[in-house]
Amino acid sequence: MHGTDAVSGGYGVINGFSYGLITPLAAYLMACLGGALGLRCTTRSLLVERSWRPGWLALGATAIGSGIWTMHFIAMMGFSVAGSPLNYDKRITFASLGVAIVMVGIGIFIVGYRGSTPMSLVTGGTITGLGVASMHYLGMAGMRLHGRIEYDTKIVALSVVVAVVAATAALWAAVSIRGFLPAVGASLVMGLAVTGMHYTAMAAVRVRMVGGLGRLGGDEPTTLLAPLLVGPVVFLVLAGVVVMFDPLLVMGNQDWQKPGEVRRPVPAPPRPVWPARPPWEEASYQRER
């Protein structure tokens, strides 16, 4: 992607696709899964009682944040720098997951409680997009290698704009799009936008190599990232089960009816009809009242 020979003081040769298309496709699928579950939960939050809304919004924020974080580090499994191994700082890596969930959560809660007004969408989308970008660059800050990471400022700014636009469009889709197929389409577009933001940001990366081959800090990707990715993936699967077997469906409160379809009200149960009292009992009953 960038660079010259991997010598001290020069720029190292970067490869963002060490495993070909395997890591980009896997990353894209995880971004789509997290986006689909997050959008579904956000839509649910607008259709349930207010007391249930925070739970659905929190589940949606965690799903989107986990999906974006998982996408990032799956894509980073294919990232390499010639002449240097890559390790990751465990605390910073965990912190990047927390930043993703919290920032996405703030944006989703704004839209969940303020509705789809232009102000709430712009505010929520900006916060969510900045959260996605912060997660990416914080995760990059946790990388340990025999070199110093530098960035092209213009491409970094472009990646942040892409993140904000993608997040705003995703929040608009969550509160505006109904129906299964449109929701699937919105999830695919969201996954494409998030993955595109990642690789746009990676295009800004340059690595200036430094002398010395001392021991790197942090953990190797095979010992940190692979086991670490299991948790978010399992969570996304469980969240998918919750969404698919939503108790509201059992109660008959469905939200995917066709546009323009009018729900028929459920008829009230008939009132019981009691047998008439004999005249002598009716007179006694009226005196007692």
Side-chain angles (χ1 to χ4, degrees):
M1 294 171 63
H2 296 284
T4 59
D5 295 333
V7 295
S8 178
Y11 288 110
V13 178
I14 295 175
N15 185 1
F17 305 94
S18 299
Y19 299 102
L21 294 178
I22 294 177
T23 48
L25 288 177
Y28 171 69
L29 291 176
M30 292 309 301
C32 290
L33 177 59
L37 294 175
L39 295 179
R40 183 65 174 168
C41 292
T42 305
T43 301
R44 274 286 185 218
S45 72
L46 303 176
L47 300 168
V48 297
E49 295 180 359
R50 197 174 183 86
S51 59
W52 286 92
R53 186 172 298 178
W56 281 109
L57 292 174
L59 183 61
T62 307
I64 294 178
S66 299
I68 294 172
W69 184 87
T70 305
M71 175 278 301
H72 171 83
F73 284 102
I74 287 178
M76 292 305 296
M77 295 289 285
F79 179 82
S80 63
V81 179
S84 176
L86 299 177
N87 287 356
Y88 290 89
D89 183 278
K90 184 180 297 184
R91 289 179 297 180
I92 296 179
T93 301
F94 272 114
S96 65
L97 174 60
V99 167
I101 293 175
V102 170
M103 295 288 283
V104 170
I106 293 174
I108 284 182
F109 269 78
I110 289 175
V111 174
Y113 280 95
R114 295 293 183 181
S116 57
T117 64
M119 181 59 69
S120 64
L121 286 174
V122 171
T123 305
T126 300
I127 294 175
T128 302
L130 292 177
V132 173
S134 299
M135 179 279 302
H136 174 90
Y137 290 106
L138 183 59
M140 293 295 294
M143 185 182 296
R144 301 289 179 259
L145 71 162
H146 293 302
R148 184 175 65 253
I149 297 178
E150 299 177 353
Y151 294 98
D152 185 308
T153 305
K154 294 181 180 179
I155 301 180
V156 169
L158 176 61
S159 70
V160 174
V161 172
V162 171
V164 170
V165 172
T168 304
L171 293 179
W172 173 84
V175 297
S176 304
I177 292 180
R178 297 290 183 269
F180 178 74
L181 291 180
V184 170
S187 302
L188 296 177
V189 172
M190 181 181 178
L192 182 63
V194 170
T195 309
M197 176 270 162
H198 171 84
Y199 285 104
T200 300
M202 294 307 296
V205 173
R206 295 177 296 180
V207 177
R208 185 180 293 276
M209 306 303 292
V210 298
L213 297 176
R215 181 180 180 276
L216 290 177
D219 299 303
E220 296 181 359
T222 53
T223 60
L224 176 64
L225 293 186
L228 200 61
L229 290 172
V230 172
V233 171
V234 171
F235 167 79
L236 290 173
V237 172
L238 294 177
V241 172
V242 171
V243 171
M244 289 176 61
F245 297 97
D246 182 2
L248 292 178
L249 303 185
V250 179
M251 296 167 58
N253 189 7
Q254 301 179 358
D255 64 346
W256 51 68
Q257 64 186 51
K258 298 179 181 179
E261 180 181 348
V262 179
R263 291 181 182 171
R264 297 180 179 179
V266 179
R271 299 179 61 182
V273 179
W274 303 103
R277 296 184 180 89
W280 55 89
E281 291 185 3
E282 181 66 24
S284 175
Y285 173 74
Q286 294 295 337
R287 287 195 300 269
E288 292 175 358
R289 291 186 63 187

